[in-house]
Amino acid sequence: MPTARIPLTRIIISFASSEADTETMAIMLKITHREKQGWLDVQDIKKIPIEDLQTINQLWEKHSGGYFGFRVQMHIWLSVAGTSQADYETWCLFGDRVGWYQDNFWKEYHNLTFSSNTRLGHLPCRVFMTYQGFGDWILRLSSVAERFVNSK
């Protein structure tokens, strides 16, 4: 894992979730050499070594008591029958379950809840929302979920 793991650990431990989410994105950008672009697409996510994704996930899970992390999101995504070819209704079901979608509207990043008083799987989320707003977030989410499913 890159040396940036230590700041992420400190940030997650301090429960500064928006900072931890931002640092998670920064680490993933650094791993993929995409700092200048500031966003990741599906191909970039596929280039991240599964060991790095697992380390980031373990930090989120450990310091949230299993409430946040990519694997938590994967289980929610699979429970709503999520695939890379999911329809809009499936996206909305997932968004509702993790608290990104409410009252028929997608929340903007700055309106998300950055505390432990939110929905299961709510964080991390910046990696899915940074590129053109939500843009093709569902493909990025599917890509991360697929990485964990295939790593079993």
Side-chain angles (χ1 to χ4, degrees), residues 1-14:
M1 185 72 198
T3 57
R5 177 177 183 241
I6 293 170
L8 179 61
T9 303
R10 285 190 198 125
I11 291 168
I12 291 176
I13 289 172
S14 71

Side-chain angles (χ1 to χ4, degrees), residues 25 28 39-43 45 70 73-74 76-78 80-102 105-109 112 121-146:
M25 182 64 173
M28 294 173 78
W39 53 270
L40 300 171
D41 63 18
V42 172
Q43 294 308 315
I45 290 170
F70 295 132
Q73 292 168 338
M74 175 200 73
I76 296 167
W77 179 240
L78 294 175
V80 298
T83 69
S84 58
Q85 279 75 46
D87 60 17
Y88 187 72
E89 184 178 328
T90 303
W91 299 5
C92 294
L93 282 171
F94 175 82
D96 181 62
R97 295 239 179 118
V98 298
W100 301 349
Y101 181 79
Q102 184 178 16
F105 290 97
W106 290 97
K107 293 182 177 183
E108 293 183 25
Y109 185 80
L112 296 175
H122 190 70
L123 298 169
C125 59
R126 184 174 287 276
V127 66
F128 305 117
M129 297 181 177
T130 301
Y131 178 56
Q132 297 175 354
F134 276 97
D136 62 352
W137 72 270
I138 206 66
L139 296 175
R140 293 189 300 275
L141 175 66
S142 295
S143 180
V144 171
E146 180 181 290

